[in-house]
Amino acid sequence: MTEPHMTFVEKILARAGAKKAVTAGDIVVADVDLLIMHDLSGFLTAKVFDERVGRPIPRPDRVAMVFDHHFAPATERQAVVLEANREWARRHGIRLFDCGSGNIHNVVMRRGLVRPGSIVVGSDSHTPVHGVLGAVAVALGNDSHAGTVMPYGKAWFKVPSTVRVEIDGRTGPGATTRDVALWLVGELGEGGQVYKALEFGGPYVKALSFWDRWLFPLLTVDVGAKCGYVEPDEVTEAQARALGVDGVFERGDPGAACEVASFDVTGLGPQVACPPTVGNVKPVEALAGTPVQWTELGGHGGGRLEDFRLAAEVLDGRAVHPDVRLNLVPASREVFSEAEREGLVRRLHEAGGTWFPPSTGSNQAANMGAMAPGEAMISTHARNFPGRNGSPEASMFLASAATVAASAVTGQITDPREIAHRAGPR
């Protein structure tokens, strides 16, 4: 009998659910390899678990909590939340990464907790980013973590149909992978891929480094998809070795994807996601001249070593505008160490940037980056909803590190291709 053709996601869910084969629409109860929570979701999940489940966690090694929102508690209430989390983690023996470790997704990836071929669940909506390492990664609610994942090591899934996102072409000057990712959200449409699995591939993706590929599964939630991944290949395998992890590098069968969406990025220039949503994407030229008071390299989509390299190149011989604050937030302690070794820490500091502890940065304004009414920020963050960074009357724009750095120099949204011709303090 001919073996059924299955996608990448179907193969992993079938194996984790002890089934020979599954297909889109099937319900699978599968073993979970890793549950990840940040300090805010962890506090809520722990409360539900203790009050309504009240039993030991049989596999605490499969649970991790990262303090990345209240990374420097400014109030007694925030400090109490973190101390409660510490006590709960000690009591149950789960992995805890305390303040200053980095943002949740970079930390668990850098510490080798994500394995190819595994199933990862988390309360943070950007959990699908771990598909970059060949995992099926899905965001679940806090009650699911407390009720099924922690006590039983399992979760149920409705198998999603797969859409292959094929990307080809060569971008124009000044454009980066972040620009392609932002543009793609607009093209796929917010809510345009509800409950799909997105498979990112094609010549453009194939040529990218691992941490640039990271930006594609990161966007899956913004288009409504359940999970996203990059086709595992030699780049994935090399990164897994560098992280010291092993696992089954599963690959989908040819032609198993239900749909194919093809995109050509030839000539694409720098892009900006405008308020009020991530999908409101426009070419940078359409926003040029918009005043900004805050600029930031950080968040789940930023704070990479690649971002600091780009910013240093733009800021070389220049300084941050006197009316602008440039926040520099490494994604992890490892990124900060690498930036220090390359001299980027000093270069960006002397240009006028301010370094913050490795974390998720000004995300939700839990510790930093809160804006007053009428202020605007341009950043490498993953979200720009009103009120996310302070006042709902403030504005958040999302862009590449190059565009953020260029805007930091001029005090207004600036095309990085034009920075050499624009006036700015030196």
Side-chain angles (χ1 to χ4, degrees):
M1 183 176 178
T2 304
E3 289 291 324
H5 289 295
M6 289 191 289
T7 66
F8 166 90
V9 173
E10 290 167 352
K11 286 185 175 182
I12 293 177
L13 286 176
R15 183 171 61 242
K19 294 181 176 291
K20 185 175 182 180
V22 300
T23 190
D26 288 352
I27 302 298
V28 178
V29 177
D31 291 332
V32 171
D33 298 287
L34 179 65
L35 162 62
I36 56 175
M37 303 176 287
H38 52 60
D39 43 307
L40 303 185
S41 63
F43 180 73
L44 299 174
T45 301
K47 184 177 177 63
V48 173
F49 183 79
D50 284 350
E51 292 179 354
R52 301 179 63 183
V53 180
R55 55 174 288 177
I57 299 175
R59 292 297 305 270
D61 58 313
R62 295 190 178 190
V63 182
M65 187 188 297
V66 182
F67 290 178
D68 69 347
H69 281 63
H70 292 166
F71 59 84
T75 67
E76 180 182 357
R77 183 184 64 82
Q78 292 174 339
V80 167
V81 166
L82 295 191
E83 189 54 27
N85 285 343
R86 292 186 185 103
E87 187 280 327
W88 186 83
R90 285 193 295 266
R91 177 155 43 92
H92 288 283
I94 72 165
R95 299 172 190 261
L96 173 65
F97 299 92
D98 215 309
C99 302
S101 297
N103 78 57
I104 179 173
H105 302 302
N106 277 267
V107 169
V108 297
M109 182 79 75
R110 289 273 187 166
R111 303 301 174 90
L113 301 187
V114 178
R115 294 185 295 103
S118 65
I119 293 182
V120 178
V121 299
S123 47
D124 185 83
S125 61
H126 291 100
T127 300
V129 71
H130 299 289
V132 72
L133 198 63
V136 170
V138 174
L140 297 180
N142 295 328
D143 286 359
S144 294
H145 298 151
T148 61
V149 180
M150 287 194 289
Y152 303 111
K154 295 180 182 293
W156 72 268
F157 302 87
K158 180 181 178 181
V159 180
S161 61
T162 296
V163 177
R164 178 175 172 81
V165 180
E166 181 93 11
I167 308 175
D168 198 358
R170 178 176 293 183
T171 57
T176 69
T177 310
R178 171 70 173 183
D179 295 296
V180 174
L182 288 172
W183 176 81
L184 200 58
V185 174
E187 293 297 305
L188 290 170
E190 292 177 286
Q193 305 294 325
V194 172
Y195 216 94
K196 301 293 180 65
L198 302 184
E199 175 185 272
F200 295 97
Y204 178 82
V205 176
K206 179 79 173 175
L208 295 175
S209 68
F210 179 83
W211 293 105
D212 273 343
R213 295 178 179 194
W214 168 278
L215 298 171
F216 289 109
L218 184 76
L219 64 81
T220 56
V221 65
D222 295 307
V223 297
K226 188 65 175 176
C227 61
Y229 61 95
V230 177
E231 288 182 297
D233 61 9
E234 61 277 4
V235 173
T236 316
E237 294 172 1
Q239 186 64 42
R241 289 194 298 272
L243 295 171
V245 299
D246 56 13
V248 178
F249 286 93
E250 198 63 80
R251 290 170 172 81
D253 296 326
C258 301
E259 305 172 47
V260 177
S262 299
F263 299 93
D264 189 335
V265 296
T266 299
L268 184 74
Q271 306 288 305
V272 177
C274 309
T277 63
V278 181
N280 186 19
V281 182
K282 299 178 182 179
V284 68
E285 301 96 308
L287 282 303
T290 302
V292 294
Q293 294 76 40
W294 293 90
T295 55
E296 182 168 324
L297 302 180
H300 298 322
R304 305 169 304 148
L305 184 64
E306 292 79 359
D307 296 315
F308 298 128
R309 286 170 175 163
L310 277 172
E313 184 177 333
V314 171
L315 284 162
D316 187 34
R318 299 181 173 88
V320 173
H321 192 280
D323 295 332
V324 174
R325 276 71 66 193
L326 172 60
N327 301 333
L328 306 167
V329 190
S332 66
R333 296 182 70 84
E334 292 83 357
V335 166
F336 185 73
S337 294
E338 292 163 359
E340 195 280 328
R341 284 194 294 270
E342 291 190 15
L344 299 173
V345 172
R346 180 173 180 176
R347 288 170 64 188
L348 292 171
H349 170 75
E350 292 182 346
T354 300
W355 288 94
F356 286 82
S359 65
T360 195
S362 65
N363 179 27
Q364 299 179 41
N367 281 276
M368 56 172 285
M371 291 186 288
E375 287 193 308
M377 176 188 288
I378 186 167
S379 79
T380 56
H381 275 267
R383 291 278 167 74
N384 63 343
F385 305 152
R388 190 171 178 84
N389 286 67
S391 170
E393 297 176 31
S395 300
M396 170 68 88
F397 299 87
L398 309 177
S400 74
T403 300
V404 171
S407 303
V409 170
T410 63
Q412 56 191 19
I413 295 178
T414 300
D415 188 333
R417 295 168 295 189
E418 300 296 325
I419 188 62
H421 309 294
R422 297 290 294 268
R426 288 180 177 269

